[in-house]
Amino acid sequence: MRAADLVHAIDALDSYKRYGKVKRVVGLMIESRGPESSIGDLCYIYAGSTNKAKIPAEVVGFKDENVLLMPYLQVTHISPGSIVEATEQPLTVKVGTGLIGQVLDSFGLPLNESSLPKGLASVPTDQSPPNPMKRPPIHEKMEVGVRVIDSLLTVGKGQRVGIFAGSGVGKSTLMGMIARNTNADLNVIALIGERGREVREFIDRDLGPEGLKRSIVVVATSDQPALMRLKAAYTATAIAEYFRDKGLNVMFMMDSVTRVAMAQREIGLAVGEPPTTKGYTPSVFAILPKLLERTGTNELGTITAFYTVLVDGDDLNEPISDTVRGILDGHIVLDRQLANKGQFPAINVLKSISRVMNQIVDSEHKSSSSKLRDLLSTYLNSEDLINIGAYKRGSSREIDEAIKFYPKIISYLKQNVEDKVSIEQSISSLNQLIEKGDF
């Protein structure tokens, strides 16, 4: 660097530190007089009698010239007059290949309390989605290793899909299968608002050692403050973006986007936003598209994303489900009735769709998929008549054909958790089932 450039850089530096004082704490919100800061800036609150505890907080609003802060950690030991220091920077995390195989918190720090490896780059957690004119079209298939998805709901590299299900229908198990079986270069998995017990179970049982070796897991449990849960989603997305910009095909999974929305609702209500649709604040519906649009394709690489959505009472039309379904490029519906029958994965094929499938599959595959859906729909529409014996064989050629194929279709849709089926095998089996009635 030339001397003139160095002098200019030094002149441009802001050597002042800006401080404020805590005025009051109301619920989740801390109100302080100063410091000078902007929305999204990271601040530190010095708590305790000796001011040794340094609690990170984020600027989330302003009220009567006072700064509204939301802490990342618990607000214990904060008192009126506690010093607030502005950093004038948003939250950043360290990212690099050294994180592969690690389980991280919302700050990108290892949960096993080990130190971060060297050679990592700092990236902001909150970034803008790619320019839509720089998003290449999706034209390649992404193998996920789950037969029903690869053959009937084919996913493309850079596609964003929602997994809609109630509790206990097999979302975590399905995510673990995808993480282990996919041919993506890397998995980034965000566990938002999970029970503490389930985190270790997912990593050990569903993901397994082989899956963890090629994954980065970001965790924020349900007991953590709302801002920590929200930032875990942003941190995981930023990590996936970093590897996409390195030219990799990233498999990104978030469980669940519903809990991200709930965290933002808590923040919005604390700031003073009015509850609108079923208690959700307007900011919830503002952040969802911004967060979900960050994944997908850009000119360098791809992020293929699966977002789970908790469906309260199995109601697919509740506000978050409806909003997310309108943003994403497809949806997979897990059906409790199928799970109760012992079908895994419990995917309701007729209620699920991949919006890019027709662009990335050949005509034979498309025809076989359509035929299987027709047979399954025909059987289910007549199932009550068939079960009570009111249907007489020969009355309808379509129903007769559906009855013949139905047991084989159900067998095709089932897959053991340990089984890995390549996308070529899945498509070949589908074509063979439709052509010869067997696979």
Side-chain angles (χ1 to χ4, degrees), residues 1 11 15 52 56 92 109 122 157 238 261 281 300 335 399 403:
M1 181 181 289
D11 287 340
S15 58
K52 287 185 178 179
T92 60
L109 301 175
S122 291
K157 290 181 179 178
T281 57
L300 301 170
D335 195 315
I399 296 177
I403 293 172

Side-chain angles (χ1 to χ4, degrees), residues 117 193 220 296 306:
F306 285 88

Side-chain angles (χ1 to χ4, degrees), residues 286-314:
I287 70 151
L288 282 178
K290 185 179 178 183
L291 177 64
L292 302 182
E293 285 288 348
R294 286 171 61 180
T295 54
T297 62
N298 70 1
E299 65 271 26
L300 301 170
T302 66
I303 301 175
T304 306
F306 285 88
Y307 296 94
T308 70
V309 182
L310 288 170
V311 183
D312 293 333
D314 296 329

Side-chain angles (χ1 to χ4, degrees), residues 43-64:
C43 293
Y44 289 105
I45 302 171
Y46 292 87
S49 57
T50 59
N51 283 337
K52 287 185 178 179
K54 205 173 169 184
I55 299 175
E58 183 172 307
V59 178
V60 293
F62 304 98
K63 181 180 181 182
D64 299 331

Side-chain angles (χ1 to χ4, degrees), residues 25 50 168 172 202 246 250 419:
V25 178
T50 59
S172 297
F202 174 81
K246 295 294 182 183
V250 181
D419 293 345

